[in-house]
Amino acid sequence: MLVLAFLTALPVQPASAALTPSQLAGVGATPPAGAAFPVGLSFVDQSGRPYRLSLGAMPTVLLFADYSCRHICGPGVTLTAGALHDAGLKSGVDYRMIVIGMDQDGPVLARRLAEERLKGLPAEAAGMELLTGTPPTVARAEQALGYHAIYDAEADQFAHDAAIYLFSPGGRLSALLPETASTAAQLKAAVAGARLDVAFIPTAPKSDTGLIGRVSAICYGLASAHGVYAGPIVLGLRLGGVLICVGLGLFVVTSLRRSRRANDAT
């Protein structure tokens, strides 16, 4: 029943024409050869203070996020921070975490995201920088890292990839991981590699046909764009949850009846 409750709580977005399949096909994270941390770009942090990107004394974990996203951006930040915590890594000691906001909603929504999504991770929340920049500044960061997001003006949302960039203290890109499918062990190994200045080696993209991969594709491809398929997808998930619960209920009832019959027979 918990599964059913979760699924029925998902908001069905109205079917509004937005991004086309060809536009969505361009969404992704494909770092160019020799990609490096975009030093020198100026932002403001979640407190409204100026923040200039610079190299640090420790590996950097960097995410892009839409602070007004109604789907996976918040959970993606939570999952990443939680996995780093579970790996035994300390913010400000073993790594630093930076989130670049793609939208112009600013520090207020950045703070809200941290307050709502990092309640159980106070150390990670305190050490995290959630940045807001001008469109040209954000575009320069995206271009430097091969990050391709598309803005849907009608829905005021971004279709974008859920990627974790890891940089060495010297700024070299060391690893690229998925937000929704990275374990504590994977992040711990990636942070260790970044500390050793291991270089990122691009590989041919692989289709993730597993459950996590499919759900991530739904959230970042169709639902995040609020296209005409968003409502039917969520409705399908709800119906699937209902069918699963009904099936489990029938199984329990049938098992109880068989047990009673067996007891009566003896």
Side-chain angles (χ1 to χ4, degrees):
M1 295 306 291
L2 289 175
V3 174
L4 177 59
F6 170 76
L7 291 170
T8 53
L10 289 172
V12 175
Q13 301 296 339
S16 58
L19 304 179
T20 66
S22 61
Q23 287 177 307
L24 291 173
V27 172
T30 54
F37 187 69
V39 174
L41 297 182
S42 296
F43 296 84
V44 294
D45 65 14
Q46 60 267 42
S47 298
R49 295 187 297 261
Y51 187 96
R52 189 176 181 87
L53 293 184
S54 60
L55 298 179
M58 63 199 74
T60 298
V61 178
L62 184 143
L63 311 178
F64 286 92
D66 177 358
Y67 296 141
S68 62
C69 175
R70 296 185 287 273
H71 297 290
I72 300 299
C73 283
V77 172
T78 306
L79 287 170
T80 303
L84 289 165
H85 175 84
D86 292 344
L89 301 174
K90 295 183 179 180
S91 176
V93 177
D94 299 307
Y95 71 93
R96 61 175 182 167
M97 184 168 171
I98 295 174
V99 180
I100 294 179
M102 295 177 289
D103 48 20
Q104 297 300 295
D105 291 307
V108 173
L109 285 188
R111 288 197 303 271
R112 182 184 301 173
L113 184 148
E115 291 168 358
E116 293 179 351
R117 299 296 182 178
L118 299 171
K119 292 180 180 178
L121 298 164
E124 287 71 21
M128 190 181 302
E129 301 289 352
L130 293 101
L131 308 180
T132 301
T134 64
T137 299
V138 175
R140 287 176 62 188
E142 292 178 343
Q143 183 177 11
L145 301 178
Y147 191 81
H148 310 286
I150 301 178
Y151 180 60
D152 173 8
E154 184 174 343
D156 188 26
Q157 297 280 283
F158 286 83
H160 63 98
D161 192 78
I164 305 172
Y165 289 82
L166 288 103
F167 299 90
S168 71
R172 184 203 298 263
L173 178 62
S174 182
L176 185 68
L177 301 173
E179 286 179 39
T180 54
S182 293
T183 65
Q186 289 172 321
L187 274 170
K188 185 173 185 178
V191 170
R195 188 174 293 279
L196 294 173
D197 199 24
V198 173
F200 170 69
I201 301 176
T203 58
K206 297 179 181 179
S207 177
D208 187 350
T209 57
L211 176 60
I212 292 178
R214 288 198 294 268
V215 170
S216 177
I218 288 171
C219 292
Y220 283 91
L222 300 174
S224 65
H226 285 233
V228 296
Y229 301 108
I233 285 174
V234 177
L235 179 60
L237 288 172
R238 288 182 176 178
L239 291 176
V242 171
L243 292 175
I244 290 172
C245 291
V246 170
L248 288 173
L250 290 174
F251 174 77
V252 171
V253 170
T254 302
S255 298
L256 289 174
R257 287 179 177 175
R258 288 177 179 173
S259 177
R260 288 173 181 172
R261 289 173 183 171
N263 291 334
D264 292 341
T266 57

